[in-house]
């Protein structure tokens, strides 16, 4: 907890002790006054009725009626009272200043089971728990965090981790919570709002979120240090669900794009702009949740680390034997392969280049500088035993989407090289957390269509302006071990 939380806890303890002592004598005096008043009223009633002819019978009937009423009230209260918390939940009874156990449900919202879609499994039982990521803004004042924690405790919500993001006015508190499964997100949000939280954002979490923030940041920094292509992925994992665009400073035609950012970067609510070390700018958008200065500082530090280390790609090779007996080597590619890639273009037929680049053949070489940049994705190269480059496979970051593209030299087609490259690119996409990949091709490109179908994944086909777009959903993709040149960077 922070110093603010410690001060709030001490203030609450002091307040409770003072209130407890100051109210003891007042309650005693009030009870004595009530007792004396009750005795006086009872004496007056007895004197008034007792001297009547039927007075004793009326007094006996009144006593019987009061006894029956008290017995009925006791039976009704026991039948309809809230059940106590189940044993073994780890939530001890809370006592007030007099040793009495208060009703937990007095201030808590009524909980209802979370609706379960058809086919999604049985409804959660009261003993089940779920993980939530919650972010809310509170006043930067003593007791504000303590009030929020108290509201969560009344709903039996366990705080696993807490991060604070100071703002100019107020503080953003980010929690990882373990809550009872029947407690819905709406009920949790109402409880937080009632405790003083504002601009609350809630989403389901999983076991990966249990890693504490320093460990996660160090892991992302290590991945970025080993592979420049990891920077966009590291930023996405650091900032959560967001859209990242790498905008080059120079277009494929060699013209200045004007895309740049200040050296120190720029933060505007839900948009973050950082200067790309390789030229251009990196824009990060998160419309559903504004960025905090703390997040901006972390992202900028990660980009500065990438800039200091310069271009780098994990080195490693994976040797495969084709069905006819020839050996090929699969490895990562970068700008150092630019000359070999251009030479491969020269050996490819015009039809092969048109199927790959969907444009004029003479423009094919212009795309290579962009495609081989680790900033825009990952590229796998296939070379023969003599060292000649014969195929390239690209996994390209496209905002929230991911594109796969293949180019295999004519003399090496129909040998399984394209399918091998595509399966490895999909494995990299799964490892990067991508939900789907898409390929832009033409219906006449039977090789690419067959390679996508060979993935054994759910496929969606769409025709856009004469172009075939095949999207593979990766939710059903099997986990595949990474090749050595990727494992070296982990």
């Amino acid at each position: 907890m922070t110093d603010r939380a410690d001060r709030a806890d001490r203030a609450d303890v002091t307040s409770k002790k003072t209130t407890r002592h100051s109210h003891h004598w007042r309650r005693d005096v009030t009870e004595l006054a009530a007792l004396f008043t009750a005795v006086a009223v009872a004496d007056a009633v007895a004197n008034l009725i007792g001297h009547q002819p039927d007075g004793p019978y009326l007094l006996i009937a009144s006593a019987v009626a009061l006894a029956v009423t008290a017995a009925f009230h006791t039976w009704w209260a026991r039948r309809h009272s809230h059940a106590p918390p189940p044993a073994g939940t780890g939530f001890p009874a809370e006592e007030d200043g007099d040793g009495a156990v208060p009703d937990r449900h007095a201030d808590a919202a009524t909980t209802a089971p979370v609706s379960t879609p058809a086919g999604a499994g049985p409804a959660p039982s009261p003993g089940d728990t779920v993980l939530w990521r919650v972010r809310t803004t509170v006043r930067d004042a003593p007791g504000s965090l303590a009030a929020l924690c108290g509201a969560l405790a009344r709903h039996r919500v366990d705080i696993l981790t807490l991060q604070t993001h100071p703002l100019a006015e107020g503080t953003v508190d980010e929690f990882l919570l373990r809550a009872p499964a029947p407690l819905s997100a709406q009920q949790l949000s109402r409880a937080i709002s009632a405790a003083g939280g504002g601009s609350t954002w809630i989403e389901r979490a999983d076991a990966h979120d249990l890693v504490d923030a320093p460990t996660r940041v160090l892991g992302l920094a290590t991945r970025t240090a080993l592979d420049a292509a990891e920077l966009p992925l590291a930023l996405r994992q650091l900032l959560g669900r967001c859209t990242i665009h790498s905008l080059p400073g120079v277009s494929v035609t060699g013209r200045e794009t004007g895309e740049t950012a200040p050296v120190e970067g720029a933060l505007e609510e839900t948009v973050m702009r950082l200067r790309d070390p390789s030229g251009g700018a990196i824009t990060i958008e998160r419309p559903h949740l504004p960025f905090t200065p703390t997040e901006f500082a972390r992202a900028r530090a990660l980009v500065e680390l990438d800039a200091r280390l310069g271009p780098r790609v994990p080195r490693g090779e994976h040797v495969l034997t084709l069905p006819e007996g020839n050996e090929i080597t699969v490895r990562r590619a970068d700008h150092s392969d630019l000359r070999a890639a251009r030479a491969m273009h020269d050996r490819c037929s015009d039809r092969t280049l048109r199927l790959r680049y969907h444009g004029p053949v003479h423009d094919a070489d212009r795309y290579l500088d962009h495609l081989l940049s680790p900033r825009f994705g990952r590229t796998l190269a296939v070379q023969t035993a003599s060292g000649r480059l014969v195929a390239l496979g690209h996994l390209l970051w496209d905002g929230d989407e991911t594109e796969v593209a293949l180019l295999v030299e004519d003399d090496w087609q129909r040998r399984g090289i394209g399918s091998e490259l595509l399966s490895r690119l999909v494995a990299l996409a799964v490892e990067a957390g991508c939900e789907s990949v898409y390929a832009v091709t033409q219906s006449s490109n039977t090789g690419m269509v067959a390679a996508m179908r060979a993935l054994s994944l759910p496929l969606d086909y769409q025709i856009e302006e004469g172009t075939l777009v095949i999207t593979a959903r990766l939710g059903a993709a099997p986990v595949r071990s990474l090749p050595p040149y990727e494992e070296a960077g982990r």
Side-chain angles (χ1 to χ4, degrees):
M1 291 286 183
T2 61
D3 292 339
R4 177 163 57 89
D6 295 335
R7 291 196 302 269
D9 293 338
R10 289 195 295 269
D12 281 359
V13 171
T14 304
S15 176
K16 289 179 181 178
K17 290 181 178 178
T18 304
T19 304
R20 185 183 307 170
H21 292 299
S22 62
H23 285 283
H24 275 184
W25 66 271
R26 297 178 184 176
R27 184 177 59 227
D28 294 340
V29 171
T30 302
E31 289 175 354
L32 287 174
L35 178 61
F36 290 160
T37 303
V39 171
V41 172
D43 182 72
V45 172
N47 290 333
L48 179 64
I49 299 178
H51 295 290
Q52 301 295 328
D54 298 329
Y57 301 101
L58 290 175
L59 289 176
I60 294 174
S62 300
V64 172
L66 289 174
V68 171
T69 302
F72 177 80
H73 180 272
T74 302
W75 171 82
W76 181 268
R78 290 181 178 177
R79 182 180 179 86
H80 295 276
S81 63
H82 291 290
T89 57
F91 296 95
E94 299 176 359
E95 297 183 356
D96 63 11
D98 303 307
V101 180
D103 184 7
R104 284 183 184 275
H105 303 270
D107 298 326
T110 304
T111 58
V114 178
S115 59
T116 304
S125 64
D128 294 339
T129 60
V130 295
L131 297 176
W132 295 98
R133 287 183 60 202
V134 177
R135 177 178 289 204
T136 189
T137 304
V138 299
R139 294 183 302 107
D140 191 7
S144 58
L145 181 58
L148 186 57
C149 295
L152 294 175
R154 284 193 293 273
H155 286 73
R156 304 177 185 176
V157 176
D158 187 18
I159 300 176
L160 302 180
T161 64
L162 167 63
Q163 297 184 60
T164 58
H165 302 254
L167 303 177
E169 294 182 1
T171 300
V172 174
D173 290 334
E174 186 173 354
F175 298 91
L176 178 62
L177 305 176
R178 179 184 286 121
L183 186 65
S184 67
Q186 293 78 10
Q187 294 167 329
L188 186 58
S189 179
R190 285 196 297 266
I192 293 173
S193 299
S199 302
T200 302
W201 169 80
I202 301 177
E203 74 169 356
R204 290 290 292 269
D206 56 27
H208 296 89
D209 295 306
L210 293 173
V211 180
D212 62 283
T215 302
R216 186 172 74 254
V217 171
L218 287 174
L220 296 177
T222 301
R223 293 176 57 177
T224 303
L226 293 173
D227 187 356
E230 289 285 339
L231 179 61
L233 302 178
L235 288 172
R236 180 174 296 176
Q237 294 185 23
L238 177 67
L239 302 172
R241 290 186 302 169
C242 59
T243 302
I244 300 177
H245 294 283
S246 293
L247 307 176
V250 180
S251 67
V252 294
T253 59
R255 293 179 296 180
E256 295 287 339
T257 62
E259 296 290 349
T260 185
V263 177
E264 65 280 4
L267 174 61
E268 299 176 359
E269 293 289 333
T270 60
V271 179
M272 191 185 301
R273 290 180 63 86
L274 301 168
R275 177 170 292 187
D276 193 330
S278 60
I282 300 175
T283 64
I284 309 172
E285 300 177 3
R286 192 173 62 188
H288 63 280
L289 188 65
F291 294 110
T292 65
T294 301
E295 291 176 313
F296 177 65
R298 292 173 180 173
R300 188 171 60 182
L302 204 58
V303 174
E304 290 177 355
L305 172 66
D306 179 82
R308 288 180 177 273
L309 295 176
R312 62 210 175 279
V313 170
R315 296 301 175 186
E317 298 178 346
H318 194 198
V319 178
L320 301 175
T321 302
L322 297 177
E324 69 270 17
N326 293 327
E327 287 188 349
I328 59 173
T329 300
V330 183
R331 59 173 177 82
R332 286 284 298 276
D334 58 9
H335 279 137
S336 63
D337 296 293
L338 187 58
R339 178 175 296 180
R342 288 173 175 168
M344 184 184 70
H345 275 181
D346 294 337
R347 296 191 298 270
C348 289
S349 65
D350 290 349
R351 179 181 181 276
T352 296
L353 294 177
R354 278 196 301 269
L355 290 176
R356 167 60 187 89
Y357 295 108
H358 319 291
V361 174
H362 63 272
D363 290 335
D365 289 351
R366 297 181 178 180
Y367 298 105
L368 287 176
D369 188 67
H370 174 89
L371 294 173
L372 294 176
S373 172
R375 180 65 68 247
F376 304 104
R378 295 171 178 168
T379 298
L380 299 182
V382 175
Q383 63 184 30
T384 63
S386 62
R388 190 173 75 175
L389 197 68
V390 295
L392 289 173
H394 305 284
L395 184 70
L396 304 171
W397 318 132
D398 184 16
D400 291 333
E401 300 178 322
T402 306
E403 181 184 0
V404 290
L406 301 175
L407 176 64
V408 181
E409 188 177 324
D410 294 64
D411 293 341
W412 291 85
Q413 294 178 6
R414 309 296 178 183
R415 301 189 186 188
I417 294 178
S419 297
E420 179 65 27
L421 278 179
L422 185 59
S423 64
R424 292 175 181 271
L425 293 175
V426 168
L428 294 177
V430 172
E431 189 268 341
C434 302
E435 297 180 355
S436 63
V437 295
Y438 71 91
V440 181
T441 184
Q442 299 177 15
S443 56
S444 58
N445 190 352
T446 56
M448 187 65 182
V449 175
M452 292 291 289
R453 294 182 61 182
L455 294 173
S456 298
L457 294 173
L459 300 179
D460 296 329
Y461 300 88
Q462 186 175 0
I463 301 294
E464 296 180 358
E465 299 180 356
T467 301
L468 176 62
V469 180
I470 308 175
T471 302
R473 298 192 299 274
L474 304 183
V479 178
R480 171 175 176 168
S481 59
L482 296 176
Y485 49 80
E486 287 296 331
E487 292 179 348
R490 298 290 179 270

